[in-house]
């Protein structure tokens, strides 16, 4: 299999249009189409469905995307390890991420990047909401959903799971909690309804449409601390709940929610050394932390 064909496959998968992939790779769209067909013939699998919305991945294409992205991350990791190259890179990267992922996943591991690249300055904007990479408010964004429009390069960064958490002390003094329906009798911690900035955060409604939080915060870190104080139970990302001393996961089989983080970069920033290096580091770090993100580590 030709790696250059995989590189073109990644470009089409991320942009969903031959014209956008051509602009990204500086190749002719007809050539890219021919190379994709060659790849499909080599694999004996159809990788894209041609729709009015663009090139949409088939199931085979989705599986290949995961493999190709791991290969890309490994290649970028090798490139990143070159200290001489790293010493030459300088500038600022503004990274937008959700509060939980930014503070609990990126921040504790960021030193492994800054130690290798001391001349690159990082602005980590970890908040309830996202800066808009389409308007160049951020150089890189980690988002809860894949943007549908804009001159952007997007890819799935990692899946993650969420579960129901509480303290043992809370559970001892609360009504029995043996099924999802029992949650109607419990003190629930969750988001302020009119402050939910993305539909992917409406966890309680996914468990049971009747559930309403009695203690609310716009901050996932504040919710975690409220739950850890024993004031109630609530849904947390496993990378937060599993790491907090005193919290136990409740009803793990009945309450198991999956979400994804998406990596978003303005198209005209790819190819800039410091951006590519950070993207490679972030992809490699997320892959290494995959068990933590899925609640299995």
């Amino acid at each position: 299999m030709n790696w250059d064909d995989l590189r073109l496959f990644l470009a089409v998968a991320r942009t969903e249009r031959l014209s956008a992939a051509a602009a990204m790779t500086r190749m002719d769209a007809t050539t890219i189409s021919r190379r994709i067909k060659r790849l499909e013939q080599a694999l004996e699998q159809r990788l894209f469905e041609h729709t009015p919305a663009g090139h949409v991945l088939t199931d085979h294409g989705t599986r290949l995307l995961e493999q190709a992205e791991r290969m890309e991350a490994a290649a970028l990791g090798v490139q990143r390890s070159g200290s001489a190259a790293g010493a030459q890179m300088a500038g600022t990267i503004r990274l937008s991420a959700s509060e939980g992922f930014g503070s609990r996943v990126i921040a504790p591991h960021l030193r492994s990047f800054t130690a290798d690249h001391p001349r690159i300055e990082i602005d980590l904007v970890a908040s309830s909401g996202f800066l808009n990479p389409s308007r160049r408010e951020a150089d890189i964004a980690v988002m809860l959903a894949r943007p549908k429009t804009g001159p952007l390069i997007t890819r799935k960064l990692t899946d993650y799971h969420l579960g129901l958490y509480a303290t043992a002390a809370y559970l001892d003094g609360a009504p029995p909690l043996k099924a999802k329906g029992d949650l109607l009798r419990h003190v629930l911690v969750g988001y302020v309804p009119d402050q939910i900035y993305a539909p992917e955060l409406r966890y309680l409604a996914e468990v049971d449409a009747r559930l309403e939080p009695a203690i609310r915060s716009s901050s996932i870190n504040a919710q975690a601390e409220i739950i850890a104080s024993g004031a109630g139970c609530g849904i947390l990302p496993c990378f937060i709940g599993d790491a907090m001393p005193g919290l136990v996961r409740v009803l793990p089989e009945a309450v198991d929610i999956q979400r994804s983080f998406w990596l978003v970069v303005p198209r005209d920033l790819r190819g800039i050394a410091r951006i590519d290096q950070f993207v490679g580091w972030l992809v490699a770090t997320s892959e290494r932390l995959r068990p933590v993100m899925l609640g299995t580590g």
Side-chain angles (χ1 to χ4, degrees):
M1 185 184 302
N2 188 317
W3 164 248
D4 204 44
D5 289 348
L6 283 176
R7 181 176 64 85
L8 297 179
F9 163 77
L10 284 171
V12 176
R14 289 168 177 169
T15 63
E16 297 185 341
R17 293 190 179 276
L18 288 176
S19 58
M24 180 195 304
T25 60
R26 299 180 181 178
M27 293 183 65
D28 182 77
T30 302
T31 301
I32 295 176
S33 178
R34 185 172 63 250
R35 297 278 286 275
I36 293 297
K37 289 179 181 177
R38 183 174 76 178
L39 181 60
E40 289 179 327
Q41 290 170 355
L43 296 173
E44 298 182 348
Q45 295 172 344
R46 189 169 184 178
L47 302 175
F48 294 99
E49 294 288 350
H50 301 177
T51 73
H55 282 57
V56 178
L57 288 168
T58 63
D59 289 342
H60 292 303
T62 299
R63 287 193 289 270
L64 179 62
L65 177 63
E66 295 175 355
Q67 297 170 353
E69 286 180 335
R70 284 196 291 269
M71 293 171 64
E72 180 189 50
L76 287 171
V78 170
Q79 182 183 12
R80 178 171 59 85
S81 66
S83 58
Q88 298 302 315
M89 280 185 287
T92 300
I93 297 173
R94 173 162 287 195
L95 170 65
S96 174
S98 65
E99 180 196 16
F101 186 79
S103 63
R104 304 292 182 122
V105 178
I106 295 177
H109 301 277
L110 194 55
R111 184 181 180 279
S112 66
F113 179 84
T114 59
D116 288 343
H117 305 286
R119 297 179 62 196
I120 297 179
E121 300 173 348
I122 305 294
D123 291 341
L124 173 57
V125 183
S127 60
S128 298
F130 299 101
L131 300 180
N132 191 327
S134 292
R135 295 200 295 264
R136 296 300 299 273
E137 295 173 349
D139 301 314
I140 301 171
V142 180
M143 307 184 75
L144 292 171
R146 184 174 189 169
K148 294 181 172 61
T149 60
L152 304 168
I153 300 171
T154 63
R155 57 158 293 175
K156 184 188 287 187
L157 180 61
T158 181
D159 293 324
Y160 68 101
H161 283 216
L162 304 100
L164 180 68
Y165 290 86
T167 63
Y170 168 79
L171 293 171
D172 286 344
L177 185 47
K178 298 182 179 180
K180 289 191 292 186
D182 295 336
L183 285 169
L184 291 167
R185 297 186 293 159
H186 280 258
V187 178
L188 299 178
V189 179
Y191 281 100
V192 180
D194 63 359
Q195 295 293 309
I196 294 178
Y197 60 90
E200 291 78 14
L201 300 179
R202 298 187 183 280
Y203 311 129
L204 287 176
E206 188 167 323
V207 175
D208 189 318
R210 298 171 295 173
L211 297 178
E212 295 288 346
I215 305 175
R216 300 174 287 272
S217 174
S218 61
S219 164
I220 191 65
N221 285 331
Q223 291 177 40
E225 294 298 336
I226 293 167
I227 296 168
S229 75
C233 59
I235 294 174
L236 296 172
C238 293
F239 62 80
I240 295 180
D242 289 349
M244 295 193 69
L247 286 187
V248 295
R249 190 168 177 184
V250 188
L251 303 178
E253 294 183 359
V255 182
D256 185 23
I257 300 170
Q258 179 174 311
R259 293 288 190 268
S260 301
F261 285 119
W262 292 83
L263 180 62
V264 182
V265 181
R267 188 177 300 148
D268 59 352
L269 292 186
R270 284 305 299 266
I272 295 177
R274 69 179 184 277
I275 301 297
D276 288 352
Q277 288 290 309
F278 192 85
V279 166
W281 172 83
L282 188 54
V283 169
T285 299
S286 297
E287 182 66 23
R288 178 168 55 84
L289 295 175
R290 183 176 176 81
V292 175
M293 303 302 294
L294 298 180
T296 60

